[in-house]
Amino acid sequence: MIQASGRRILVSENSSGRVPVHLRRVVTEHGSQGAAKFAGDGAVPRTDIFRTVPGLVSRMIWSTSASTAIPFNGTDPTPLVASFVPEPGETRFLVLTFPPDAVFISPDFDGPAALAENLAVSPGLAERFEPDGKHQTPTVDYGIVLDGEIWMELDGGNETRLRQFDAFVQNGTRHAWRNKSDKPATIAVVLVGARTPDLTDYDDGL
């Protein structure tokens, strides 16, 4: 059984108008007679506030595996997730807050320490990051900007700015997130594991 936090959370705490670090997560299940009931109501357990990257927050809200079935068995799946990148038939639901890019060019920014922390916090995903922040996953990602604005950069310098409530679909393409503003930006995204062809199947051979 998923345990709710020690105190009842009626709404996500958000007095500043920005997305709070600790989000409320409500989970449902079926009772013994099949009636719908609440399995848990509390803060997201797998919330990581980066020490080496001020303002960077990773929250894994939920995940499913290829064997996930209904009714829900009452066990929170997120602590057991060994890779943030889902296999085909799996999903990951994340809410991520990005600090302004200025954080990464600060004189006291420790790149190696940030990489080490990212590897610990986001296994399976952090290993895919290139030095410039670009990465690619075998997933279809669909999400929405909850707060702030953020740039999605693709190959060849092609980029677009996403503002609050803009939605996006990332079809397994190489990309980077750039926060060129002076405020945090938060996105909610669901990664869906997808089947991929052999790289030689692409028309351009890349």
Side-chain angles (χ1 to χ4, degrees):
M1 175 68 69
I2 297 175
Q3 297 297 320
S5 61
R7 63 188 176 85
R8 185 74 172 170
I9 299 178
L10 299 179
V11 295
S12 291
E13 299 168 33
N14 189 3
S15 60
S16 68
R18 295 178 178 175
V19 176
V21 169
H22 296 288
L23 299 178
R24 179 189 182 197
R25 184 188 68 176
V26 176
V27 180
T28 66
E29 64 179 352
H30 290 93
S32 58
Q33 302 301 317
K37 56 181 288 191
F38 293 106
D41 185 343
V44 176
R46 195 161 179 173
T47 297
D48 291 284
I49 305 167
F50 279 67
R51 295 176 295 99
T52 59
V53 187
L56 181 59
V57 183
S58 170
R59 312 167 187 84
M60 181 177 287
I61 310 298
W62 203 251
S63 69
T64 61
S65 69
S67 62
T68 295
I70 300 297
F72 173 52
N73 65 11
T75 301
D76 186 343
T78 60
L80 302 177
V81 171
S83 174
F84 271 49
V85 180
E87 296 289 335
E90 298 182 342
T91 68
R92 306 286 185 266
F93 178 20
L94 308 173
V95 175
L96 307 168
T97 297
F98 299 91
D101 285 354
V103 168
F104 299 96
I105 60 175
S106 171
D108 57 355
F109 177 70
D110 188 337
L115 175 59
E117 184 173 18
N118 198 24
L119 288 168
V121 169
S122 311
L125 177 61
E127 293 89 336
R128 296 174 178 269
F129 276 79
E130 302 168 28
D132 66 352
K134 290 277 183 61
H135 57 285
Q136 184 174 8
T137 58
T139 60
V140 174
D141 309 339
Y142 45 90
I144 187 168
V145 178
L146 299 179
D147 188 59
E149 57 184 38
I150 195 163
W151 280 252
M152 180 192 294
E153 180 183 312
L154 304 180
D155 288 333
N158 190 18
E159 64 179 13
T160 190
R161 179 168 59 176
L162 300 173
R163 297 180 175 87
Q164 188 178 38
F165 307 134
D166 285 347
F168 59 88
V169 178
Q170 185 77 240
N171 283 308
T173 45
R174 181 170 172 264
H175 67 283
W177 295 109
R178 312 292 190 197
N179 184 353
K180 302 180 183 182
S181 75
D182 58 357
K183 299 178 180 179
T186 299
I187 64 172
V189 59
V190 176
L191 283 67
V192 181
R195 300 186 184 280
T196 58
D198 184 87
L199 293 179
T200 58
D201 290 344
Y202 289 109
D203 291 338
D204 57 11
L206 298 178

